[in-house]
């Protein structure tokens, strides 16, 4: 235990830690060729959605395959709000914090949806839960496709909400908003991991029945984790599609969930550093493949993901944490 | 909504429902027997469709001959998929855990990402079809106000035949009995001398081959296909398989009929009370609401114990 | 008459047509060790599942410290002070022994009242008590069966229960391990002033440690009393041997 407390003490000394983080951030930015605000925003979006899904999938093992439904709900509510509600549009123009303030409303609505269906759907286990969330995603997708065009038949053709210039904000603002989103969800991951709540979630992942008998209120905890996860996914979705200038039914594409899952699987399930490591690797992979192999990039990505699932299901962090380094267990550092 | 609209909705709903039931057969088999959650199901079906279109357009082969080639290639693709992806995950597993089940879902999704994007890259997003080819002497049959494409009728006939053959295969043959034994209890099956690995490989072969054949039905019913067609058939197959009960071929056939009917009727109702343009997506959303409700209240399916 | 900490009243539990428990009545007194025995399929584990809230009974009631707990969710019952072990050990394999035990502390009777670091200390103390402290930072999956059973016990004790349900904690252990386990159970029972119900197949062990014995047979209580009385009860011996004449011989010999 001594190594752990030493390590904790070291990590809590703020100045050296901040310097290390800063150097790491610069190195990552150079490595990933994050030269514009836009690429940085997208990179942070990747980490944010991975860390969001990690809250339910990583900690409890429940694979919410239709999780992109919350991405879509967040993005659509945000876009419609700034389109129709003058004060929301005015608020988002004040900058990053203003965007977050409006996005919070969208995120709360997504979280309410998650809380309502979560109570019921989380009774299901394994593939049935995954399929139920896919069902939810498609149900919402087709409801959006069947209703949004009729809100404004001339503008929202094909259920696309393209934001006119009066609703757009600067790239600096979306960058700031995405940074706040990422920081919030990573902090939440960290706090959950270190808390009683997080211990309960991991116990659910290990053996739900045993956890319940040991006193973990499994139904409540699962629903709470699912709701938190939906909240941050919607927040990230709102900011990401604002950054892109509008939203289309593509936001409900299961491929977004796959992005999230792949990042967590690469990084390591249920760890705090997993989504970050996974985000860096995935963004690099995504960017490199896109630049060098346009057209076949997604084919290669699919194959790589398949190989990871077959041959390294624990992910990078999952493998690393089994090793000890100079007496410090990596397991304790990485989680 | 007049009587004519009502009748037309029912007939077209049923015509599509029969196709849906047959398309779902391969999924209910592989999911029911092997707990492989094949989220690339629609993509595999399109593999069959594209193969048949390719053989017809490029080589001028009759679709019927192309169908036989599709069957043979389906068996081969099944072997490749089993040994390439599934064996490592489920081959030696006797009691399926949730984690194994999830890993099959993930690997099949990775496969679906690779194969869909292969379609976009190698074939392109333009619609592909059999052109003017049609079944029988005429392309349409008129019965009063009803107009039915003869290709749709062929799709129906083939769908019923496919489901009947598969049902008999499972009910009457030794292989079918072994498959059902593995489905119920792989451990017990291996105790009575059944080799589960062999049965799982054969199940994959049958499932993939049947699914690729069903791609022909999609082609006949839809007239033309694009890579995105799979994105409709995959999730709908899940609705139907859950409704019919995992591993229940006849159940999923009836499930297909129900979804076809519900879709046809609700589309007509929504068109008449709300907006014709909104009717298709909203009717589809009802199918997915049915999926969620079935999972919650009758996860064993309509015909389960 | 000492006070009953747990009262099982007319409890009936069915699985389809099978009656697993038929109007079972049991009182468990504060501070005793009650042995629960019976042939396989007698309903012992089912009774544990009813008490701990895993199953809801079709009929009857369960009271703990005078409060009805029938049908309450399992986690609430644990928080009220009933902890149990499982016949088939269920450690959280990817967690360390310490983390496993911390779950017990964090979600047991002290749920919400201890900080993470306090929970860590309390868990460590429990591990010292049962002699697993040396393995605290090992992953639970690395333990031997005997150690896993001790961990199961540690997790239950960590919940600071008033009533402890032990489901075949001795099964599959060698005589030396059995003796060790019995010692741990006796010591902790004294140290923590526990009431214990033990389901056990290792007959000499349970006869030795229990204050009282209840015998279940096909879901019904057929005998109850001091170990010596029960061992000489013709119905009990018959239940185990399945033959009345044979049973009579055994009882006479004693």
């Amino acid at each position: 235990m001594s190594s752990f407390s030493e390590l904790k003490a070291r990590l809590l000394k703020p100045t050296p830690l901040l310097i290390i983080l800063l150097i790491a951030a610069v190195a990552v930015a150079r490595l990933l060729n994050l030269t514009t605000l836009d690429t940085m925003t997208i990179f942070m979006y990747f980490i944010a959605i991975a860390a969001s899904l990690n809250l339910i999938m990583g900690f409890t093992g429940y694979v919410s395959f239709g999780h992109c439904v919350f991405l879509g709900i967040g993005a659509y509510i945000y876009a419609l709000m700034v389109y129709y509600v003058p004060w929301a549009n005015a608020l988002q123009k004040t900058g990053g914090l203003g965007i977050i303030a409006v996005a919070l409303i969208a995120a709360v609505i997504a979280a309410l949806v998650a809380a309502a269906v979560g109570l019921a759907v989380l009774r299901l286990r394994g593939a049935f839960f995954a399929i139920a969330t896919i069902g939810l995603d498609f149900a919402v997708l087709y409801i959006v496709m069947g209703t949004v065009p009729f809100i404004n038949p001339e503008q929202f053709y094909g259920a696309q909400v393209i934001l006119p210039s009066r609703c757009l904000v600067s790239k600096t603002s979306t960058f700031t908003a995405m940074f706040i989103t990422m920081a919030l969800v990573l902090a939440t991951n960290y706090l959950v991991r270190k808390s009683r709540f997080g211990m309960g979630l991991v116990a659910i992942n290990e053996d739900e029945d045993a956890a319940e008998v040991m006193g973990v209120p499994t139904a409540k905890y699962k629903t709470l984790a699912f709701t938190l996860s939906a909240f941050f996914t919607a927040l990230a979705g709102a900011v990401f599609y604002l950054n892109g200038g509008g939203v289309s039914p593509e936001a409900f594409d299961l491929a977004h969930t796959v992005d999230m899952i792949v990042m967590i699987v690469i990084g390591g399930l249920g760890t705090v550093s997993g989504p970050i490591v996974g985000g860096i690797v995935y963004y690099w992979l995504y960017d490199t493949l896109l630049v060098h192999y346009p057209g076949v990039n997604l084919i290669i990505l699919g194959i790589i993901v398949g190989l990871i699932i077959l041959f390294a299901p624990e992910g990078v962090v999952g493998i690393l944490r089994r090793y000890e380094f100079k007496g410090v267990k990596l397991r304790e550092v990485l989680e | 909504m007049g009587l004519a609209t009502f009748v037309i909705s029912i007939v077209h709903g049923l015509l599509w429902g029969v196709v849906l039931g047959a398309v779902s057969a391969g999924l209910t088999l592989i999911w029911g027997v092997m707990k492989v959650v094949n989220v690339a199901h629609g993509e595999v079906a399109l593999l069959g469709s594209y193969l048949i279109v390719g053989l017809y357009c490029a080589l001028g082969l009759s679709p019927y001959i192309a169908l036989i080639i599709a069957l043979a290639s389906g068996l081969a693709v099944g072997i490749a998929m089993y040994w390439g992806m599934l064996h490592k995950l489920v081959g030696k597993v006797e009691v399926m855990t949730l984690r194994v089940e999830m890993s099959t879902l993930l690997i099949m999704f990775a496969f679906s990402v690779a194969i869909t994007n292969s379609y976009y890259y190698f074939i392109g997003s333009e619609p592909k079809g059999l052109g003017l080819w049609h079944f029988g002497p005429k392309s349409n049959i008129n019965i009063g106000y009803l107009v039915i494409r003869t290709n749709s009728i062929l799709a129906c006939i083939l769908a019923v035949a496919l489901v009947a053959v598969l049902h008999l295969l499972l009910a009457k043959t030794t292989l079918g009995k072994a498959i059902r034994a593995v489905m119920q209890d792989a451990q017990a099956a291996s105790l009575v001398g059944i080799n589960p690995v062999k049965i799982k490989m054969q199940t994959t072969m049958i499932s993939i081959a049947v699914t690729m054949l069903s791609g022909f039905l999609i082609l006949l019913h839809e007239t033309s296909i694009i890579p995105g067609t799979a994105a409709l058939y995959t999730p709908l197959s899940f609705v139907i398989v859950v409704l019919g009960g995992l591993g229940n071929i006849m159940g999923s056939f009836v499930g297909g009929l129900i979804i076809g009917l519900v879709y046809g009727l609700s589309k007509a109702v929504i068109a008449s009370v709300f907006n014709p343009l909104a009717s298709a997506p909203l009717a589809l959303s009802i199918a997915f609401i049915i999926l969620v409700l079935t999972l919650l209240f009758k996860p064993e399916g309509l015909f389960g114990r | 008459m000492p006070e009953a900490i747990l009262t099982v009243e007319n409890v009936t539990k069915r699985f389809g047509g099978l009656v697993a428990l038929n109007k079972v009545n049991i009182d468990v007194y504060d501070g005793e060790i009650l042995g629960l025995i019976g042939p396989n399929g007698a309903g012992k584990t089912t009774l544990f599942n009813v008490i701990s809230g895993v199953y809801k009974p079709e009929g009857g009631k369960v009271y703990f410290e005078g409060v009805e707990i029938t049908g309450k969710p399992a986690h609430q019952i644990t928080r009220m002070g009933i902890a149990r072990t499982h016949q088939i050990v269920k450690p959280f394999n990817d967690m360390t022994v310490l983390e496993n035990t911390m779950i017990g502390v964090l979600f047991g009777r002290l749920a919400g009242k201890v900080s993470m670091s306090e929970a860590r200390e309390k868990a460590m103390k429990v591990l010292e008590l049962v002699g697993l402290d040396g393995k605290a930072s090992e992953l639970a999956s690395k333990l031997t069966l005997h150690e896993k059973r001790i961990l199961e016990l540690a997790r239950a004790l960590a919940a600071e229960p008033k009533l402890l349900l032990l489901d075949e904690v001795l099964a599959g252990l060698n005589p030396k391990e059995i003796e060790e386990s019995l010692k741990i159970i006796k010591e902790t029972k004294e140290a923590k002033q526990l009431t214990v119900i033990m389901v056990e197949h290792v007959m000499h062990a349970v006869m030795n440690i229990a204050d009282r014995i209840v015998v279940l047979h096909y879901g019904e209580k057929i005998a109850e009393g001091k170990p010596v009385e029960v061992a000489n009860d013709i119905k009990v011996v018959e239940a185990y041997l399945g033959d009345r004449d044979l049973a009579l011989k055994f009882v006479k010999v004693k």
Side-chain angles (χ1 to χ4, degrees):
Chain A
M1 273 351 282
S2 62
S3 65
F4 180 79
S5 36
E6 272 170 36
L7 182 81
K8 200 168 152 192
R10 225 185 308 151
L11 283 181
L12 287 179
K13 272 183 206 155
T15 341
L17 178 75
L18 275 178
I19 293 171
I20 292 168
L21 276 180
L22 207 66
I23 294 170
V26 173
V28 166
R30 289 292 299 255
L31 178 75
L32 297 183
N33 200 16
L34 299 173
T35 45
T36 63
L37 278 179
D38 214 30
T39 50
M40 279 192 263
T41 306
I42 295 170
F43 170 64
M44 291 188 299
Y45 157 77
F46 272 121
I47 292 182
I49 56 171
S52 301
L53 185 65
N54 194 42
L55 287 171
I56 180 77
M57 175 173 159
F59 285 111
T60 69
Y62 276 76
V63 183
S64 178
F65 215 83
H67 217 63
C68 44
V69 67
F70 303 116
L71 206 65
I73 291 176
Y76 266 97
I77 292 175
Y78 188 94
L80 290 174
M81 256 193 319
V82 295
Y83 196 100
Y84 284 110
V85 184
W87 62 259
N89 192 19
L91 187 56
Q92 70 155 352
K93 298 256 160 140
T94 61
L97 276 173
I99 296 173
I100 290 292
V102 181
L104 278 177
I105 302 172
V108 165
I109 296 174
L112 288 176
V113 173
V117 293
L119 269 179
V121 176
L122 285 158
R123 283 192 327 211
L124 302 166
R125 294 197 182 171
F128 272 19
F129 171 73
I131 298 296
T133 61
I134 292 178
L136 177 69
D137 182 50
F138 276 93
V140 175
L141 162 71
Y142 284 117
I143 290 171
V144 165
M145 285 174 73
T147 52
V148 170
F150 305 98
I151 298 173
N152 190 338
E154 279 162 28
Q155 295 296 323
F156 301 159
Y157 181 74
Q160 293 190 58
V161 180
I162 296 163
L163 293 173
S165 54
R166 69 174 174 86
C167 300
L168 291 178
V169 294
S170 72
K171 291 284 180 192
T172 327
S173 305
T174 45
F175 170 84
T176 315
M178 193 61 89
F179 180 78
I180 297 171
T181 306
M182 181 187 76
L184 282 176
V185 63
L186 285 177
T188 307
N189 266 274
Y190 180 80
L191 292 175
V192 167
R193 188 70 187 93
K194 295 288 161 209
S195 71
R196 170 166 166 265
F197 176 51
M199 291 284 276
L201 294 181
V202 176
I204 289 173
N205 189 5
E206 294 274 337
D207 185 330
E208 190 166 341
D209 298 324
E212 171 76 25
V213 169
M214 285 185 71
V216 180
T218 51
K220 187 173 124 192
Y221 271 30
K222 283 187 295 184
T223 311
L224 193 55
F226 188 58
T227 307
L228 269 177
S229 171
F231 176 85
F232 287 114
T233 309
L235 200 61
V239 180
F240 177 73
Y241 283 94
L242 170 69
N243 185 58
V247 57
S248 74
E250 178 274 341
F252 292 97
D253 195 323
L254 291 177
H256 294 297
T257 314
V258 179
D259 287 343
M260 306 178 208
I261 292 178
V262 171
M263 282 184 274
I264 317 178
V265 171
I266 291 176
L269 287 163
T271 59
V272 175
S273 49
I276 303 174
V277 175
I280 293 170
V281 175
Y282 188 71
Y283 185 86
W284 173 78
L285 204 66
Y286 169 89
D287 194 50
T288 315
L289 291 175
L290 190 67
V291 173
H292 294 287
Y293 310 97
V296 291
N297 57 329
L298 289 172
I299 306 176
I300 300 172
L301 199 65
I303 295 168
I304 292 174
V305 173
L307 293 176
I308 292 171
I309 293 157
L310 281 177
F311 299 106
E314 287 175 293
V316 176
V317 175
I319 291 167
L320 283 180
R321 72 173 186 172
R322 297 206 175 267
Y323 297 97
E324 288 190 29
F325 181 71
K326 285 190 181 167
V328 179
K329 282 197 173 145
L330 277 169
R331 181 170 190 269
E332 286 157 359
V333 185
L334 295 165
E335 285 173 4
Chain B
M1 184 168 65
L3 181 67
T5 324
F6 184 69
V7 172
I8 291 171
S9 324
I10 288 187
V11 170
H12 284 286
L14 284 176
L15 282 173
W16 193 38
V18 175
V19 170
L20 285 174
V23 170
S24 310
L27 179 63
T28 202
L29 191 63
I30 200 165
W31 192 10
V33 176
M34 296 168 60
K35 299 288 173 285
V36 169
V37 190
N38 183 6
V39 282
H41 182 70
E43 285 77 2
V44 172
L46 281 203
L47 197 58
S49 323
Y50 277 127
L51 183 65
I52 291 168
V53 171
L55 291 171
Y56 174 74
C57 294
L59 302 178
L61 281 183
S62 142
Y64 301 116
I65 294 171
L67 196 59
I68 294 164
I69 296 175
L71 175 65
S73 358
L75 295 172
V77 172
I79 295 178
M81 283 175 70
Y82 180 77
W83 291 111
M85 300 192 291
L86 300 177
H87 179 72
K88 194 165 188 298
L89 299 177
V90 300
K92 298 278 161 56
V93 179
E94 284 184 334
V95 181
M96 288 296 291
T97 60
L98 296 180
R99 284 187 190 189
V100 177
E101 211 178 357
M102 285 323 306
S103 62
T104 69
L105 193 156
L106 289 175
I107 190 113
M108 292 319 289
F109 203 95
F111 178 65
S112 94
V113 171
I115 194 171
T116 307
N117 288 289
S118 303
Y119 293 154
Y120 277 115
Y121 186 74
F122 295 110
I123 298 169
S125 51
E126 315 82 50
K128 301 277 179 195
L130 294 175
L132 294 175
W133 185 89
H134 53 81
F135 168 61
K138 282 194 293 186
S139 65
N140 288 314
I141 292 179
N142 301 314
I143 311 164
Y145 43 72
L146 262 178
V147 181
I148 300 173
R149 288 182 303 110
T150 48
N151 280 359
S152 256
I153 295 172
L154 176 63
C156 252
I157 298 169
L158 289 177
V160 172
L162 188 84
V163 170
V165 168
L166 200 56
H167 178 72
L168 289 177
L169 181 83
L170 285 182
K172 303 286 178 196
T173 64
T174 324
L175 173 63
K177 279 171 192 151
I179 288 176
R180 280 185 294 145
V182 171
M183 174 160 95
Q184 255 130 45
D185 190 337
Q187 240 167 338
S190 65
L191 285 179
V192 297
I194 295 171
N195 177 358
V197 171
K198 200 173 137 201
I199 295 298
K200 285 173 189 172
M201 186 191 75
Q202 287 167 339
T203 306
T204 313
M205 287 168 69
I206 297 172
S207 163
I208 299 302
V210 165
T211 307
M212 279 178 63
L213 283 188
S214 74
F216 186 48
L217 311 179
I218 296 175
L219 193 58
L220 291 173
H221 184 86
E222 300 276 334
T223 315
S224 63
I225 51 162
I226 54 171
T229 306
L232 177 63
Y233 278 88
T234 300
L236 275 181
S237 301
F238 276 92
V239 178
I240 291 159
V241 167
V242 168
L243 204 56
L246 294 192
N248 186 343
I249 304 282
M250 291 316 271
S252 70
F253 186 68
V254 177
L257 290 178
I258 292 172
I259 291 300
L261 259 185
V262 167
Y263 174 79
L265 285 174
S266 50
K267 186 168 177 260
V269 171
I270 294 164
S272 71
V273 301
F274 179 45
N275 190 315
L277 289 173
S279 62
L282 289 181
L284 280 173
S285 76
I286 291 174
F288 292 103
I289 292 168
I290 291 178
L291 167 65
V292 177
L293 294 179
T294 314
L295 282 170
L296 289 180
F297 299 110
K298 211 139 178 11
E300 69 280 8
L302 289 180
F303 311 103
R305 292 145 278 117
Chain C
M1 202 68 177
E3 207 182 325
I5 184 168
L6 182 87
T7 305
V8 174
E9 197 179 280
N10 276 322
V11 161
T12 299
K13 174 72 201 168
R14 292 188 202 91
F15 296 103
L18 180 85
V19 183
L21 294 172
N22 191 10
K23 299 203 171 152
V24 173
N25 287 290
I26 295 173
D27 278 323
V28 185
Y29 303 112
D30 204 355
E32 73 172 339
I33 296 184
L34 178 75
L36 189 59
I37 65 170
N40 281 326
K44 299 167 303 226
T45 298
T46 307
L47 182 63
F48 269 17
N49 281 331
V50 168
I51 297 172
S52 60
V54 176
Y55 296 152
K56 203 176 169 173
E58 272 79 35
K61 283 174 179 160
V62 184
Y63 297 92
F64 177 61
E65 297 192 306
V67 181
E68 191 185 338
I69 57 168
T70 336
K72 280 200 178 179
H75 69 263
Q76 276 185 25
I77 292 177
T78 306
R79 283 179 189 201
M80 293 174 72
I82 302 182
R84 70 174 285 184
T85 68
H86 290 91
Q87 188 181 345
I88 300 160
V89 287
K90 291 180 165 184
F92 302 130
N93 280 319
D94 279 348
M95 288 179 156
T96 63
V97 168
L98 182 67
E99 285 166 340
N100 263 278
T101 316
M102 278 174 74
I103 297 273
V105 181
L106 288 168
F107 295 97
R109 205 147 63 85
L110 298 177
K113 294 190 193 108
V114 281
S115 71
M116 289 292 274
S117 56
E118 282 166 350
R120 192 178 291 275
E121 278 163 30
K122 279 188 190 293
M124 211 53 210
K125 281 207 184 104
V126 173
L127 289 177
E128 277 163 24
L129 189 67
V130 299
L132 261 188
D133 45 331
K135 304 259 177 177
S137 52
E138 292 275 329
L139 287 183
S141 54
K142 299 264 163 67
L143 300 182
T144 64
L145 174 69
H146 176 48
E147 288 166 341
K148 280 181 184 168
R149 287 207 194 278
I150 301 286
L151 173 60
E152 190 77 19
L153 180 66
R155 293 198 310 186
L157 288 173
E160 306 244 330
K162 295 174 197 159
L163 173 64
L164 182 60
L165 312 179
L166 300 177
D167 197 350
E168 297 208 26
V169 281
L170 306 176
L173 302 185
N174 64 36
K176 192 173 154 261
E177 292 167 340
I178 289 179
E179 211 165 292
E180 242 178 77
S181 302
L182 285 177
K183 198 171 141 247
I184 292 171
I185 293 168
K186 264 189 210 158
E187 281 173 8
T188 48
K189 190 238 159 197
E190 293 307 323
K192 303 251 174 189
Q193 298 182 319
L194 293 172
T195 309
V196 178
I197 311 180
M198 289 179 81
V199 164
E200 203 46 69
H201 269 305
V202 182
M203 209 49 69
H204 70 88
V206 71
M207 289 296 183
N208 194 342
I209 194 172
D211 300 310
R212 264 183 340 125
I213 302 276
V214 163
V215 188
L216 287 180
H217 185 43
Y218 287 119
E220 297 192 28
K221 185 170 84 176
I222 57 166
E224 178 174 12
K226 292 225 157 54
V228 193
E229 299 164 13
V230 168
N232 281 309
D233 188 316
I234 175 72
K235 276 194 290 180
V236 176
V237 184
E238 195 188 332
Y240 272 93
L241 296 176
D243 182 332
R244 192 176 162 81
D245 293 337
L246 200 59
L248 274 169
K249 272 187 212 163
F250 270 86
V251 176
K252 268 184 196 151
V253 170
K254 289 210 172 184

